[in-house]
Amino acid sequence: MVQLFKFLLKSTKTPARAHFRCNFLDTLRLTVRGGHGGNGLPKYGGVGGQGGCVYFVAKEGLTLRKVAQNIREKRVQASNGEDSSKVSIYGKRGMDQRIEVPLGVQVYDEQQQKLLADLNEPDSSCIVAGGGTGGCVGNNFIGRPGESRTVQLDLKLIADVGLVGFPNAGKSTLLKAISNAKSKIAAYPFTTIRPQVGTVEYADLRSITIADLPGLIEGAHANFGMGHKFLKHIERTRLLLFMVDIFGFQLSPRHAHRDCLSNIYALNKELELYDPELLEKPCVLLINKMDKEGAQELLLNLKPCLTDLNSSLSACPGELRPNRVIRFKHILPISAKNSGRIIQVKQKLRGTLDELAEEQLVTDSKVLKEQLKQRVGVIGPKIT
C-alpha cells in the first residue's frame, strides 16, 4: 500500500516547463583545499615536497553552468607533496589544480566575506588555496596542511551596453531586432527571466555587446524580485540604455498605472539606491512603441521634461523621486518593430561608445603626461 502511494505521488508530479528551467547561473559555491606538504627525513636532512595549489584562470566562452557540470561534487583538492626519502631527498611538489572560470568572475571568501580576486581580463588568474609547506628543519620535518576555504564565484556580465527597463517595455524585441540574440517575446510582463547578451555586428566587422536584463520592479535595490541578482550585471557596462513605454506601465491590476516620465524617475531611483556610482555612467534613453496611435501627442507633451528632468522633479511622487537625476546623452523615440529606427539606434550606440573611447583616451594621455612630468622632476637634471 505504501509503495502504491509513493508511485501515485511520483506520477502526479509534472516537470517544469523548459522556459522556466533556469540555465543561466551567475553564482557558484565551491570548497577548495590545497595539497598537504610532504614530510621531511630528519636522518638525512631531507625536505618534503610542497603541496599543490588550487587556482582559477579566466577564459572567454565559458559559463558557470559548465564549471558546475565539470565539478559535480563542488569540491576541488590539489595533490599532496611527496615525502622525502633515501631515494629522493627533496620530495616532489604536489600537482596544482587549474580550474577555468568565465571572464568577469569575482571570487569571495565565504567565511571572511572578503574579495579574493576580480578576474575581468582574459587569462588572469588567482590562487584560492595555497599548498602546505614541506617538512624541513624549521617545522621539525613535518609537512603542513594546505589552505582550505569555501569560495563563492560571483559572475558579472561584461558588456558594452546594459539594457534597463521595467517589464514589457519591449527590451527583448529590441535585442532580437538589433543583435543575434534569440530572445523570447510575448505580450505579458517578465517574459525575460534570465540575463542575455546579444552581439550587434556592423558592415565593417565592428561589433558591440548588449546585456538585456529581466524587467526591474520597485525595491530591486533591496533585492526584491530578482534585485541584486540582475542589477549587478550593469556594473561593468560602459553605457546604460534606458527603455520605457511611451504609454507607461502597470505591473498588475493591484498596482497603480504610471506614466512614462514616472517610470524614468523610478528607474533612476532604483539605480541610485543600489549604487549611486551607476548614475555617473553615460546613458541613452529609448522611448518605445511610438508606432501606436496617440504616441506622438504624448511625446510632444513630454519633450520639455525629458530634456531637463529636474524641471518636473517636484511633481514626481515622493516614493519615486531620486535625489539626483541621471543625464541622457541622447533621447530616441523608436518602435522596436521598425527596422529603420533600429538602424538609427545601432548607429547612435556605436557613435556614443566611440565618443566615450575618445574621451577616455584624452583623459589617459593627460594622466600619463602628468606622471612623466613628475618623473622628470625627480630624476632629471637640477638647475642651480
Side-chain angles (χ1 to χ4, degrees):
M1 186 68 183
V2 174
Q3 295 298 327
L4 177 62
F5 185 67
K6 286 182 179 179
F7 173 77
L8 290 173
L9 280 178
K10 187 175 180 181
S11 62
T12 55
K13 187 177 179 181
T14 56
R17 283 179 289 173
H19 180 59
F20 291 102
R21 295 180 203 137
C22 188
N23 294 319
F24 182 80
L25 189 67
D26 56 6
T27 301
L28 181 63
R29 186 170 174 266
L30 295 175
T31 300
V32 292
R33 185 189 296 273
H36 199 291
N39 293 324
L41 192 61
K43 185 176 180 180
Y44 298 102
V47 178
Q50 183 182 353
C53 300
V54 178
Y55 65 100
F56 295 152
V57 182
K59 291 290 181 183
E60 292 185 2
L62 272 179
T63 63
L64 279 185
R65 175 71 61 184
K66 189 69 176 177
V67 176
Q69 289 172 350
N70 293 337
I71 312 172
R72 294 194 177 278
E73 295 182 357
K74 306 297 184 291
R75 292 180 182 273
V76 181
Q77 180 166 354
S79 63
N80 299 331
E82 185 182 58
D83 291 339
S84 174
S85 65
K86 290 188 292 184
V87 178
S88 178
I89 294 297
Y90 292 98
K92 290 181 180 179
R93 190 180 186 279
M95 294 291 292
D96 293 336
Q97 279 284 359
R98 180 178 186 269
I99 307 297
E100 293 185 350
V101 297
L103 197 63
V105 155
Q106 289 182 324
V107 185
Y108 288 91
D109 185 311
E110 192 174 79
Q111 185 176 2
Q112 299 180 5
Q113 292 296 309
K114 184 176 73 172
L115 178 65
L116 300 178
D118 193 353
L119 305 178
N120 55 9
E121 295 290 337
D123 296 319
S124 55
S125 62
C126 71
I127 295 176
V128 290
T133 54
C136 58
V137 176
N139 55 20
N140 295 324
F141 297 96
I142 300 173
R144 293 289 184 259
E147 289 182 323
S148 178
R149 54 163 57 107
T150 300
V151 295
Q152 181 169 306
L153 279 64
D154 195 16
L155 176 64
K156 294 182 180 179
L157 296 177
I158 298 178
D160 297 310
V161 182
L163 187 54
V164 183
F166 286 112
N168 216 27
K171 301 187 301 298
S172 297
T173 304
L174 175 71
L175 189 69
K176 189 171 183 178
I178 205 172
S179 73
N180 59 358
K182 297 179 180 179
S183 309
K184 180 178 179 180
I185 301 169
Y188 53 82
F190 301 111
T191 312
T192 304
I193 61 173
R194 62 185 72 93
Q196 298 185 74
V197 177
T199 302
V200 182
E201 297 178 347
Y202 295 87
D204 59 355
L205 303 183
R206 169 78 185 277
S207 64
I208 62 175
T209 51
I210 300 181
D212 174 26
L213 308 182
L216 300 179
I217 62 171
E218 287 86 350
H221 70 277
N223 215 18
F224 282 96
M226 289 292 191
H228 294 174
K229 188 175 178 66
F230 296 144
L231 276 173
K232 68 181 182 181
H233 292 297
I234 62 174
E235 292 179 16
R236 288 181 172 168
T237 57
R238 296 164 56 199
L239 175 69
L240 296 181
L241 186 61
F242 273 34
M243 191 167 190
V244 292
D245 187 336
I246 185 64
F247 295 100
F249 169 68
Q250 185 176 16
L251 182 61
S252 74
R254 294 185 291 109
H255 294 79
H257 181 274
R258 287 199 311 263
D259 60 23
C260 179
L261 187 60
S262 297
N263 283 335
I264 295 172
Y265 285 131
L267 287 172
N268 189 153
K269 179 79 170 179
E270 287 301 322
L271 296 188
E272 180 184 63
L273 291 173
Y274 176 71
D275 184 359
E277 290 187 9
L278 291 176
L279 301 183
E280 300 286 346
K281 288 182 179 289
C283 186
V284 173
L285 173 64
L286 300 183
I287 303 176
N288 193 24
K289 304 186 182 178
M290 292 300 300
D291 55 329
K292 294 188 176 180
E293 188 179 348
Q296 293 295 337
E297 290 78 5
L298 286 173
L299 181 62
L300 192 63
N301 296 329
L302 273 177
K303 268 189 177 179
C305 303
L306 295 176
T307 51
D308 182 13
L309 289 175
N310 281 310
S311 63
S312 302
L313 195 58
S314 58
C316 177
E319 67 274 11
L320 303 179
R321 189 182 304 152
N323 294 322
R324 178 184 164 201
V325 296
I326 198 165
R327 294 188 179 276
F328 299 115
K329 292 183 77 71
H330 303 287
I331 299 173
L332 301 176
I334 68 159
S335 168
K337 297 178 181 179
N338 186 318
S339 58
R341 292 289 189 178
I342 295 300
I343 293 172
Q344 183 185 0
V345 173
K346 288 175 67 173
Q347 296 306 322
K348 190 63 71 174
L349 290 179
R350 177 175 179 166
T352 305
L353 288 171
D354 288 344
E355 289 172 14
L356 296 175
E358 289 176 8
E359 291 172 6
Q360 187 63 44
L361 190 62
V362 171
T363 304
D364 291 344
S365 63
K366 287 181 180 178
V367 172
L368 183 59
K369 284 180 182 178
E370 204 59 42
Q371 290 174 347
L372 288 173
K373 282 182 183 178
Q374 292 175 2
R375 188 169 181 180
V376 169
V378 172
I379 65 175
K382 294 183 180 178
I383 301 174
T384 56

